[in-house]
Amino acid sequence: MTLRTGTVHGFGARKLLAAAGVDPDDLRLDEHEHVDRGVALAMSGFDSERAELVEGAVSIAAEILRRWRAPRPELVAGLVRCLESRHSRARGDAAMTLARLVSADSTQDITSAVPALVVAADDSYDRVAGPAALALARLGRPGAPAPVHRWLASSSRLPFFQVTSLGQVLQPLVGRADELLPAIRRMLVDSADSEGLRPLLTALAEWGPVAGEAVPELVSALATRNARWACDALGSIGPAAAPAANILDSFVRGVTRPPRHDGGTPLPNGVRRWHGSQNAAWAHWRITGDSTVFLAFLEDAASRGLGYASLARLAELGPQATRCAAAVRPLLESPGPWTRVQAACAWWRITGDTDAAVPVLLAALEPLRSGDADEPCRAAIRYIARIGAPARAAAPLLEATLSSERRFPADVYPAARAAMAAFGDGPHPRRTVDS
């Protein structure tokens, strides 16, 4: 009996494998001994005249580069050729694959792709231009803002790419905020009620205080269906967003609500609490520095059962949230891994007790042993780094992760190094392209 492969091959990859006479179940790119064969197959498809075979080559190359850290300059060169091909889908997939390779810990040198990425970022097809602009933005190359300016200049046309978004491109461009904010503010007005605006609002929340000039437009967004995302951006800006404080307070108390207020918890006055009230309460605290409104909201939430989003907010408050501790403790044994991890962090931040929290976080690291790192696992690494020495039992697994041939998501490496340093083991050296 043929075992199912550990790699789920897409349509294009299956077409390429069929053309080469390879059973898809026989190419396991999660196993190191299959990688060279996968590289050869990808190289055979890069220059094909058939669009689906080029797409298959990109798909196989992307899978190899996602899973393994060994430098593969031949695959990078093939992706660069795809950027210049006439197959638009393959161009977009190649640009996105290159964008995903950009990080401080990358072992792949994509310098050779920059000229082609600059051209691709000017493509009329957003599915190509978006990922190319994202790659340039992450690389810190000067060509990145040009397509962003074009998208922002359209104001009413929010570009949406199947594989990335304007918000993702903006996040690494925080150093160009002064240049980009005037056009962003126009877009916040022109597209105020468009759901497509949400990735842009998320980017402004990542920018934090740097986005302060956009406070008037973000306050106006509180009257739209995008209010919850506007709350996060205003809270991240902090005290400079003071004009929003009274509106946020009224949202939390149920006095006023944005347009979308379906669902939520019934309040004593007979109305239902807006589903974004927690975002508003958090933003009110971050803006005013007064945790009274936020704490009252969280204590009410704790009386009804805390979700993982509430746990993350409680962790930010730390010892101020002591009255919620009793509601947090049982969640350390929740059936949901994400809830367990967030509960462990909240419990430690509120009580200072590592004896109960650390075992939960150590258990969440188990995916690393098989070369994986889901969101709960990655969060657990960050929290272990903050806890430091009491979580030192994680050191062997994190050390193995940092030296592994397998490639983990980019945020694993700085978090794991921070944890090792917090344990007193010193910073772990980054792997270079030649290592």
Side-chain angles (χ1 to χ4, degrees), residues 80 82-85 91 95 112-125 128-133 136 143-144 146-147 150:
V80 173
C82 286
L83 285 177
E84 300 165 337
S85 78
R91 293 203 311 275
S112 62
V114 170
L117 286 169
V118 171
V119 173
D122 196 36
D123 199 288
S124 60
Y125 187 26
V128 175
L136 292 171
R150 288 195 299 276

Side-chain angles (χ1 to χ4, degrees), residues 381-422:
I381 300 172
R382 295 194 299 272
Y383 300 153
I384 282 170
R386 296 177 197 170
I387 290 172
R392 199 181 189 286
L397 182 52
L398 295 179
E399 175 70 25
T401 298
L402 287 166
S403 58
S404 174
E405 292 182 352
R406 293 186 179 273
R407 184 175 188 259
F408 293 88
D411 59 346
V412 165
Y413 298 99
R417 282 198 304 273
M420 298 297 289

Side-chain angles (χ1 to χ4, degrees), residues 350-393:
I350 293 168
T351 68
D353 173 22
T354 57
D355 290 345
V358 168
V360 175
L361 298 176
L362 293 177
L365 301 185
E366 284 302 306
L368 295 174
R369 298 187 190 279
S370 58
D372 197 9
D374 57 15
E375 286 192 34
C377 174
R378 284 144 55 198
I381 300 172
R382 295 194 299 272
Y383 300 153
I384 282 170
R386 296 177 197 170
I387 290 172
R392 199 181 189 286

Side-chain angles (χ1 to χ4, degrees), residues 228-229 231-233 235-236 276-283 285-286 294-295 297-298 306-318 320-321 324 342 345-346 349-350 383:
R228 182 155 63 91
W229 291 264
C231 286
D232 289 344
S236 297
S277 295
Q278 183 183 112
N279 306 71
W282 172 82
W285 167 53
R286 291 293 301 270
F294 189 29
L295 267 172
F297 177 90
L298 289 173
L306 293 166
Y308 65 82
S310 298
L311 290 166
R313 304 297 199 194
L314 281 169
E316 288 190 63
L317 278 170
Q320 294 183 72
C324 298
Q342 296 290 48
C345 180
R349 288 281 291 118
I350 293 168
Y383 300 153

Side-chain angles (χ1 to χ4, degrees), residues 266-351:
L267 295 172
N269 57 7
V271 300
R272 297 187 73 84
R273 173 174 272 153
W274 173 49
H275 63 85
S277 295
Q278 183 183 112
N279 306 71
W282 172 82
H284 186 273
W285 167 53
R286 291 293 301 270
I287 290 167
T288 66
D290 180 357
S291 62
T292 306
V293 171
F294 189 29
L295 267 172
F297 177 90
L298 289 173
E299 288 169 7
D300 178 59
S303 70
R304 294 178 282 99
L306 293 166
Y308 65 82
S310 298
L311 290 166
R313 304 297 199 194
L314 281 169
E316 288 190 63
L317 278 170
Q320 294 183 72
T322 299
R323 285 183 290 185
C324 298
V328 174
R329 183 64 178 82
L331 297 178
L332 296 173
E333 300 175 2
S334 168
W338 190 235
T339 297
R340 288 197 303 272
V341 166
Q342 296 290 48
C345 180
W347 178 257
W348 166 65
R349 288 281 291 118
I350 293 168
T351 68

Side-chain angles (χ1 to χ4, degrees), residues 161-325:
F161 323 117
Q162 295 177 24
V163 285
T164 187
S165 72
L166 175 58
Q168 286 179 288
V169 179
L170 283 171
Q171 284 182 29
L173 293 177
V174 60
R176 309 289 290 270
D178 288 347
E179 172 189 338
L180 294 167
L181 274 169
I184 288 173
R185 294 177 70 183
R186 287 195 300 273
M187 182 171 276
L188 288 172
V189 172
D190 294 346
S191 303
D193 207 40
S194 168
E195 292 186 6
L197 196 64
R198 291 170 187 176
L200 187 149
L201 293 168
T202 300
L204 294 181
E206 290 289 328
W207 282 10
V210 171
E213 287 183 16
V215 165
E217 291 76 22
L218 291 170
V219 170
S220 296
L222 294 176
T224 73
R225 294 178 299 168
N226 294 319
R228 182 155 63 91
W229 291 264
C231 286
D232 289 344
L234 288 162
S236 297
I237 289 169
N246 289 338
I247 301 173
L248 297 170
D249 178 60
S250 70
F251 286 170
V252 179
R253 291 185 292 111
V255 175
T256 58
R257 297 181 300 282
R260 285 188 63 188
H261 54 82
D262 49 307
T265 308
L267 295 172
N269 57 7
V271 300
R272 297 187 73 84
R273 173 174 272 153
W274 173 49
H275 63 85
S277 295
Q278 183 183 112
N279 306 71
W282 172 82
H284 186 273
W285 167 53
R286 291 293 301 270
I287 290 167
T288 66
D290 180 357
S291 62
T292 306
V293 171
F294 189 29
L295 267 172
F297 177 90
L298 289 173
E299 288 169 7
D300 178 59
S303 70
R304 294 178 282 99
L306 293 166
Y308 65 82
S310 298
L311 290 166
R313 304 297 199 194
L314 281 169
E316 288 190 63
L317 278 170
Q320 294 183 72
T322 299
R323 285 183 290 185
C324 298

